[in-house]
Amino acid sequence: MLELTPTNAADYLRRQGWVGPGPVTVEALSGGVSNAVLRVRTPESVFILKQSRPQLRTRDAWFSDLDRVYREQEVMQVVRPLLPPNTVPQVLFSDRAEYVFAMSSAPDDARPWKEALLAGVIDFDMGKKTGAFLGRMHDATARDPALIDAFRDRAVFVQLRVDPYYRRIQERRPEVASAVAVLIDGLMSSREALCHGDYSPKNMLVHEHGFMLVDYETAHQGDPAMDLGFFLSHLLLKAARRPAERRAFFDLTRVFWRGYQSEATFAPLVVLEKRGIAHCGLCLLARIDGTSPVEYLPEEPKREAVRGLGRSFLLERPAAWEEALTLAETAFAPLAVTEASA
């Protein structure tokens, strides 16, 4: 496989006939751990070139099949008509022999929503949209499973989520191993709707007209509750980073739920909510003690607060999100006191 870089990508694109003879500039984009992502500019267009890598850039060894990039293309082509215009990138062309494809680019001013959240900028309209769009994706694919029947294989999801998140926590946090086993059983058996598998603020490129959702390589026909827990864990992790502003982050989660409920009617919300809280607990633990810990919580008191909250979600099994937020307040309030007195 030819590994594409900013140095050799222009020649590769010309050989493929995907660009003309004019000037081509290529820059590497950062943010992920599993792929090479390059932004290409020509006099006629701007687009993104994406190529999978076998070894992910993480502290612990982590490998995945290269052909996950094929799944990403195909899922994008299914999901794009389900969401508002330009929310999902358009696939432009692909080279399966080299595990690479090109897609439309977000506007130049787009930035991962993660950046704003880490800076304490809370956008409730964005929170509502993220809930509504996820709800729409889940609802449409639950009601028409033929849309995603081709995505029954879970191999990449196991490599990128089940093993490094769920099974790693079983190994490293034995006190929750039994509770995690139940979640894994559900992940491996459910065929309820499309599970994006990476529905995260880092994959939401925000710009003045909305946001573009990227990274679909872990998507599969599976358990939609995993997406709920995965996304909400990211908001709670930001609350742990900025405990003085935790209640604004808690309100953001409430807005997300309202947006989700407005679109997702394929199953009772109380059922999805309880399952989602359990997955949230697992994901909180995984981002502290799993294969890919978050980089923005180096302080051990904050890490331990997140661990305690994750354990509470898994072992106490709150049934409603307001119960979960009560536990989060108990976990994070002392962090705010400590920071205020420092």
Side-chain angles (χ1 to χ4, degrees):
M1 182 182 82
L2 172 66
E3 291 199 356
L4 296 177
T5 68
T7 302
N8 65 18
D11 288 341
Y12 164 80
L13 290 167
R14 291 191 182 99
R15 289 197 302 271
Q16 292 294 114
W18 293 347
V19 299
V24 178
T25 60
V26 182
E27 62 178 314
L29 301 182
S30 62
V33 299
S34 59
N35 303 285
V37 183
L38 308 174
R39 180 157 49 205
V40 179
R41 297 181 187 274
T42 75
E44 296 80 25
S45 65
V46 180
F47 60 89
I48 301 297
L49 204 60
K50 189 167 186 177
Q51 184 181 47
S52 28
R53 293 286 193 261
Q55 181 168 358
L56 282 65
R57 298 180 295 276
T58 54
R59 181 189 63 192
D60 297 344
W62 189 2
F63 298 87
S64 180
D65 293 344
L66 287 168
D67 59 8
R68 65 186 184 272
V69 75
Y70 307 154
R71 170 67 59 87
E72 180 160 17
Q73 299 171 50
E74 292 160 1
V75 171
M76 286 166 58
Q77 289 165 326
V78 168
V79 173
R80 183 174 163 85
L82 304 180
L83 296 181
N86 300 316
T87 302
V88 179
Q90 180 181 5
V91 176
L92 303 175
F93 32 76
S94 64
D95 177 4
R96 292 206 165 201
E98 297 292 353
Y99 305 98
V100 63
F101 75 97
M103 60 184 166
S104 57
S105 175
D108 282 353
D109 65 346
R111 295 292 181 272
W113 192 31
K114 174 183 175 179
E115 294 180 5
L117 292 172
L118 287 175
V121 179
I122 307 295
D123 183 340
F124 292 111
D125 182 62
M126 181 68 182
K128 183 178 180 180
K129 284 179 180 175
T130 58
F133 291 4
L134 184 62
R136 190 179 303 184
M137 191 189 323
H138 287 169
D139 199 74
T141 55
R143 296 185 184 283
D144 187 2
L147 285 173
I148 56 170
D149 192 59
F151 309 140
R152 295 173 67 86
D153 181 80
R154 294 183 173 91
V156 172
F157 180 69
V158 169
Q159 293 169 347
L160 297 185
R161 291 291 172 268
V162 179
D163 285 347
Y165 282 65
Y166 290 74
R167 290 180 177 140
R168 193 71 71 247
I169 290 304
Q170 274 190 304
E171 297 167 0
R172 295 178 177 176
R173 308 304 310 186
E175 70 272 23
V176 298
S178 296
V180 176
V182 174
L183 296 182
I184 293 174
D185 287 345
L187 291 177
M188 300 307 292
S189 61
S190 175
R191 300 283 185 192
E192 196 170 0
L194 181 74
C195 175
H196 182 282
D198 201 6
Y199 200 76
S200 160
K202 75 176 175 61
N203 292 329
M204 296 163 182
L205 307 180
V206 182
H207 51 84
E208 62 176 337
H209 302 296
F211 76 91
M212 179 177 280
L213 176 65
V214 298
D215 282 2
Y216 299 80
E217 62 191 3
T218 53
H220 63 286
Q221 188 181 48
D223 185 356
M226 185 272 173
D227 284 336
L228 295 170
F230 188 81
F231 178 80
L232 289 163
S233 73
H234 283 277
L235 299 189
L236 292 181
L237 288 163
K238 308 301 185 292
R241 175 182 168 87
R242 306 183 68 95
E245 299 153 74
R246 67 193 181 280
R247 289 173 184 162
F249 283 99
F250 295 168
D251 285 341
L252 187 62
T253 69
R254 294 182 175 104
V255 170
F256 166 83
W257 274 113
R258 288 198 289 272
Y260 186 80
Q261 186 176 18
S262 71
E263 296 285 347
T265 59
F266 65 97
L269 186 66
V270 292
V271 175
L272 293 170
E273 194 171 5
K274 185 171 184 178
R275 281 164 42 204
I277 292 168
H279 283 286
C280 182
L282 178 284
C283 291
L284 288 171
L285 287 172
R287 298 319 300 270
I288 300 298
D289 294 323
T291 301
S292 180
V294 293
E295 77 287 358
Y296 54 81
L297 286 177
E299 306 93 341
E300 188 56 30
K302 291 181 178 180
R303 293 165 59 81
E304 188 54 36
V306 172
R307 286 190 188 101
L309 185 59
R311 284 193 294 265
S312 295
F313 284 8
L314 284 168
L315 299 178
E316 298 179 29
R317 291 302 303 269
W321 188 248
E322 286 302 322
E323 295 176 43
L325 288 180
T326 298
L327 294 171
E329 173 66 17
T330 300
F332 296 164
L335 299 176
V337 173
T338 300
E339 287 196 349
S341 61

